[in-house]
Amino acid sequence: MRANPWETAQAQLQKAAQSLSLDPLLLARLSQPDRVVEVSLPLRMDDGSVRVFSGFRVQHNNIRGPYKGGTRYHLDVDMDEVKALALWMTFKTALIDIPFGGGKGGITVDPKKLSATELERLTREYVRRLAPVIGPNIDVPGPDLNAGSTIMQLIRDEYSLVVGSDTPAVVTGKPLNKGGSEGRTEATGLGGSFALDEILRLRSVSGKGKTVAIQGFGNVGSYLARYLQKAGYKVVAFSDSKSAVFSGKGFNDIDSLEAFKKEHGSFLGYPAAKAIRNDEILTLPVDIVVPAALENAITADVAKQVKASVVLEMANGPTTPEAEEILRANNVMVIPDILANSGGVAVSYFEWSQNMNDERWFKADVFKRLEKKMRAASDAVYRTARERGVTLRDAAYIVAIERLASE
Ligand code: NAD
């Protein structure tokens, strides 16, 4: 049975709250979303038939600023998943120290089964339903699984039509020529590489030559791989939903691997790489494993077999609470999702800020600001973990909660 991400998120919050003498009113507020919105989305299909889809938007908390969080198009989307993801956003935005709160949205749909025009009508319907509760100073959606820059531009367009004024800052993750920010595409992967580098540096460990296996080769996994490889790590294994490959020498040309996958539909047959089982990826004998695909990738069963000493959580909620206990007992260091993948929302904030001030920043400037934010958050988490003798995840929650409490 699939672990319930909302229960995972709740367990993490309660555990961190225990070690703080937190005002019960604040804990009560953080334990539930401020507002949940469920919308019905009737859609006329291209063949004339009518189908009804369910859409969600959860506004978890806005103590520090407008709700902020992605929009997910996937068949597994349900209220509990969206609530969990919204809660994680509240802690992520506080931890990376940007003036946003936490939100999340999604539609229960397999977008690959819809035509481009059906997907556009569905998105526009969703935005019309949500228009009264979103806006640049209220709630700012962004991209997530299967909802990229084209969908974000549609959100901007439909919202602007509803309110009668062009409003680029209502959504982030837009295409570059439509108010998007330089560096957003690379941001989450690059941010993860900074977090890993900073934590290892604080432990006086060098990343050079460390072997890495990455589950998921989408936006996050592929950019992380590029930056780790550039920094001297040896990325030796990849998987996606269909295949997995291993190369003892390490993959040195990520662009060519990506081109190969695009052409052949999977990694299988890539020169000098050996096919491995998909479910082996996180239990390979490497130094660092990276779940960068979906939730609940590391269950208790997987955790027992993890041989790496570091787990870099690039996906949201990839480790179940039982798995976390096993990893802790086995001295595996988990760099938690709310730190490791917060580079995406950091650059989303930069995009919003550029839109609000009618500015365009250079990519080098975006990357410099991102590095500063990632290293500062990683330092705060590491220091707190040391001082309190807790895991990096508990420390990340503690840093975030202390910031929320001080507002
Ligand atoms: P994506 O859709 O670009 O890529 C997902 C990848 O995961 C694909 O390569 C897919 O083949 C692979 N995958 C799916 N099921 C798999 C399985 N069972 N085993 C192995 N691989 C599998 O998505 P993304 O943007 O790279 O996001 C990945 C994760 O990172 C998600 O959990 C997302 O919520 C999280 N995240 C993304 C961002 C961002 O900026 N894109 C920011 C924060 C967190």
Side-chain angles (χ1 to χ4, degrees):
M1 205 184 74
R2 195 165 91 100
N4 182 325
W6 177 236
E7 285 168 14
T8 302
Q10 286 278 328
Q12 291 167 348
L13 169 62
Q14 297 300 333
K15 186 155 173 271
Q18 267 168 20
S19 57
L20 292 165
S21 47
L22 193 62
D23 174 4
L25 187 65
L26 178 61
L27 179 59
R29 184 166 175 202
L30 292 174
S31 299
Q32 292 294 329
D34 285 349
R35 180 193 270 152
V36 298
V37 182
E38 184 166 356
V39 294
S40 169
L41 305 169
L43 180 71
R44 189 172 301 285
M45 309 300 285
D46 291 346
D47 66 4
S49 64
V50 170
R51 282 179 63 189
V52 182
F53 295 87
S54 294
F56 305 88
R57 185 78 196 164
V58 171
Q59 297 175 333
H60 178 261
N61 188 278
N62 66 352
I63 294 179
R64 289 174 48 90
Y67 304 101
K68 179 83 194 92
T71 307
R72 179 172 284 202
Y73 286 7
H74 197 279
L75 272 183
D76 286 345
V77 166
D78 61 20
M79 188 56 97
D80 273 359
E81 180 180 83
V82 181
K83 275 164 69 176
L85 290 162
L87 180 146
W88 284 321
M89 287 306 297
T90 296
F91 294 96
K92 207 180 289 186
T93 52
L95 180 59
I96 199 72
D97 204 8
I98 55 177
F100 279 141
K104 200 81 184 187
I107 302 178
T108 313
V109 60
D110 179 354
K112 292 186 192 96
K113 299 250 165 73
L114 264 57
S115 70
T117 49
E118 287 167 344
L119 205 53
E120 173 168 347
R121 290 199 297 278
L122 182 67
T123 301
R124 290 188 184 278
E125 188 72 18
Y126 177 64
V127 175
R128 285 195 293 275
R129 292 279 192 279
L130 290 187
V133 294
I134 63 173
N137 292 306
I138 303 170
D139 182 357
V140 185
D144 197 72
L145 288 183
N146 298 323
S149 57
T150 310
I151 303 281
M152 298 308 110
Q153 169 56 17
L154 285 173
I155 293 178
R156 167 192 175 167
D157 190 59
E158 190 59 33
Y159 181 83
S160 300
L161 286 172
V162 172
V163 300
S165 154
D166 187 25
T167 315
V170 68
V171 66
T172 61
K174 300 176 291 291
L176 251 187
N177 61 348
K178 304 279 184 191
S181 176
E182 290 283 355
R184 175 61 184 90
T185 311
E186 301 93 331
T188 308
L190 177 60
S193 76
F194 288 140
L196 175 64
D197 187 71
E198 186 66 11
I199 298 282
L200 292 188
R201 191 187 67 78
L202 291 164
R203 302 179 94 204
S204 308
V205 172
S206 163
K208 289 238 178 317
K210 290 267 177 296
T211 52
V212 185
I214 303 181
Q215 178 189 56
F217 193 68
N219 169 269
V220 176
S222 66
Y223 277 102
L224 176 78
R226 284 182 176 91
Y227 289 111
L228 290 184
Q229 196 261 331
K230 235 193 212 165
Y233 294 77
K234 204 158 123 188
V235 186
V236 295
F238 286 104
S239 71
D240 64 10
S241 54
K242 295 196 198 95
S243 59
V245 278
F246 177 85
S247 160
K249 283 203 304 219
F251 293 90
N252 294 323
D253 188 348
I254 311 296
D255 289 346
S256 100
L257 183 66
E258 189 166 52
F260 183 92
K261 184 179 134 82
K262 233 178 226 154
E263 191 185 337
H264 301 272
S266 88
F267 299 124
L268 298 182
Y270 186 73
K274 135 177 146 187
I276 55 171
R277 279 199 338 267
N278 214 288
D279 61 1
E280 278 179 280
I281 190 87
L282 297 172
T283 56
L284 291 171
V286 294
D287 298 310
I288 299 160
V289 290
V290 185
L294 299 169
E295 284 103 60
N296 301 321
I298 306 185
T299 57
D301 277 349
V302 175
K304 283 179 204 149
Q305 300 173 60
V306 167
K307 293 165 198 77
S309 56
V310 177
V311 174
L312 179 68
E313 290 188 336
M314 295 306 294
N316 286 309
T319 308
T320 67
E322 304 76 51
E324 174 108 12
E325 285 309 309
I326 295 165
L327 294 176
R328 195 180 48 77
N330 292 343
N331 279 325
V332 180
M333 180 174 76
V334 177
I335 303 180
D337 48 4
I338 61 168
L339 172 64
N341 70 28
S342 60
V345 74
V347 175
S348 292
Y349 163 60
F350 299 158
E351 177 177 334
W352 178 87
S353 181
Q354 289 170 76
N355 293 159
M356 294 297 269
N357 297 304
D358 210 4
E359 290 175 1
R360 307 268 313 149
W361 302 350
F362 293 113
K363 191 183 271 194
D365 191 20
V366 170
F367 284 176
K368 219 187 286 158
R369 290 174 195 245
L370 173 65
E371 176 165 8
K372 218 166 144 191
K373 285 251 170 246
M374 294 304 305
R375 291 197 188 275
S378 304
D379 285 354
V381 168
Y382 188 80
R383 227 179 323 107
T384 303
R386 267 285 164 92
E387 282 165 15
R388 292 180 177 256
V390 296
T391 63
L392 294 178
R393 185 181 324 276
D394 289 343
Y397 272 82
I398 289 168
V399 171
I401 292 172
E402 280 176 341
R403 289 198 182 135
L404 285 154
S406 70
E407 285 292 318

